[in-house]
């Protein structure tokens, strides 16, 4: 059973050398139940609204299982909110979530929209060498969600997948194809070869066409960013 372990909101704005000048990436767990509205959690904030937040990136979820992976890699605990996530969940492979998948969490209904793309602000937050590259290559991005139905949620709530689109393109599929990662799970042995004989992943162009077809059929509603990226990828396939 998937469970919501922690709900995190901005703790304090920090100065940041990026273009905005401050960052709201410092999220920390809060007690009690939290209201969820179209633009995210009540009392949360995004400093860089051009690249974070908005209706299509209202809530960011990260799995405890992925946090445990990074805790082992980094030699320190990855506490809830450290990656800037709003929801720390357990028992759910967030990276294997299908674009357009819907989660019932408390009384709120959320919909998976796209993977998180790591930025330099995230790198500065972690203070780890080549962090953005390492996070990208691991393909453990977590997922952004939009709010379909307002509600309230809190730690201890179950996370129920109540709708699963048929197109089958997952968060990890899309992110991996974007960055030429060999496998969706991003796991390779010491020699650099795949650990299993899994078939080669689909091309970005093929995944884009599946998403566009699902969007056109009304099966899903792509985020503005995902729709733009999908159209760009599909158009390259036509030219080639």
């Amino acid at each position: 059973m998937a469970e919501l372990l922690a709900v995190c909101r901005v703790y304090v704005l920090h100065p940041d050398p990026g273009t905005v000048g401050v960052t709201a990436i410092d999220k920390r767990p809060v007690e009690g139940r939290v209201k969820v509205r179209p633009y995210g959690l009540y009392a949360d904030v995004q400093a860089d609204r051009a690249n974070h937040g908005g209706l299509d990136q209202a809530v960011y979820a990260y799995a405890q299982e992925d946090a445990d992976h990074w805790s082992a890699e980094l030699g320190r605990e990855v506490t809830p909110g450290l990656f800037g996530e709003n929801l720390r969940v357990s028992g759910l492979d967030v990276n294997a979530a299908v674009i357009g998948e819907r989660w019932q969490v408390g009384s709120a209904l959320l919909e998976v929209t796209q993977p998180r793309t790591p930025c330099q602000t995230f790198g500065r937050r972690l203070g780890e060498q080549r962090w953005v590259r390492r996070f990208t290559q691991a393909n453990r991005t977590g997922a952004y969600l939009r709010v379909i139905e307002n509600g309230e949620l809190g730690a201890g709530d179950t996370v129920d997948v109540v709708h699963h689109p048929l197109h089958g393109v997952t968060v990890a599929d899309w992110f991996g194809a974007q960055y030429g990662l060999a496998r969706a799970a991003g796991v390779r042995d010491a020699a650099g070869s795949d650990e299993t004989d899994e078939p080669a992943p689909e091309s970005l162009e093929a995944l884009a066409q599946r998403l566009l077809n699902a969007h056109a059929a009304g099966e899903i509603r792509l985020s503005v960013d995902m729709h733009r990226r999908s159209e760009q990828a599909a158009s390259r396939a036509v030219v080639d």
Side-chain angles (χ1 to χ4, degrees):
M1 180 180 67
E3 181 183 0
L4 178 59
L5 298 181
V7 180
C8 307
R9 294 187 302 210
V10 64
Y11 179 73
V12 65
L13 295 177
H14 291 284
D16 184 76
T19 57
V20 177
V22 295
T23 175
I25 198 172
D26 187 353
K27 314 283 188 187
R28 302 190 191 184
V30 296
E31 296 182 356
R33 304 196 67 72
V34 179
K35 294 180 180 179
V36 184
R37 296 294 183 262
Y39 286 95
L41 303 184
Y42 177 77
D44 195 31
V45 67
Q46 297 85 29
D48 181 4
R49 294 183 180 177
N51 297 296
H52 303 285
L55 295 173
D56 292 331
Q57 300 180 46
V59 178
Y60 175 48
Y62 205 74
Q64 181 62 44
E65 291 78 5
D66 291 318
D68 290 342
H69 164 84
W70 288 117
S71 292
E73 285 280 320
L74 302 175
R76 57 174 165 139
E77 185 180 4
V78 176
T79 55
L82 183 63
F83 283 7
E85 76 270 25
N86 299 115
L87 308 181
R88 175 68 65 86
V89 302
S90 176
L92 178 66
D93 187 346
V94 176
N95 307 304
V98 172
I99 303 298
E101 181 176 297
R102 291 186 175 184
W103 303 350
Q104 186 74 50
V105 189
S107 59
L109 183 63
L110 309 176
E111 182 177 271
V112 175
T113 57
Q114 62 193 75
R116 183 244 193 98
T117 300
C119 62
Q120 292 303 320
T121 298
F122 187 29
R124 290 188 288 271
R125 163 75 163 162
L126 267 291
E128 297 286 343
Q129 191 172 22
R130 300 191 305 276
W131 174 249
V132 171
R133 180 179 179 183
R134 292 168 65 185
F135 188 82
T136 297
Q137 291 181 331
N139 201 356
R140 298 173 181 265
T141 66
Y144 279 117
L145 304 103
R146 66 165 61 98
V147 179
I148 301 300
E149 293 180 4
N150 297 344
E152 293 184 347
L153 46 73
D157 286 346
T158 58
V159 181
D160 296 315
V161 178
V162 296
H163 175 65
H164 197 78
L166 298 177
H167 64 78
V169 180
T170 69
V171 167
D173 289 338
W174 178 258
F175 190 83
Q178 275 191 297
Y179 291 94
L181 304 178
R183 293 177 54 199
V187 179
R188 302 174 70 82
D189 65 21
S193 61
D194 290 340
E195 290 182 343
T196 65
D197 295 325
E198 294 180 1
E202 284 187 79
S203 68
L204 181 64
E205 293 81 3
L207 295 175
Q209 195 58 63
R210 285 167 62 186
L211 288 173
L212 290 171
N213 290 343
H215 179 85
E219 181 185 359
I220 61 172
R221 178 166 59 91
L222 288 173
S223 70
V224 173
D225 182 58
M226 285 289 290
H227 194 274
R228 175 181 59 82
R229 291 174 183 269
S230 296
E231 286 192 320
Q232 288 175 343
S235 66
R236 286 198 297 269
V238 171
V239 171
D240 293 343

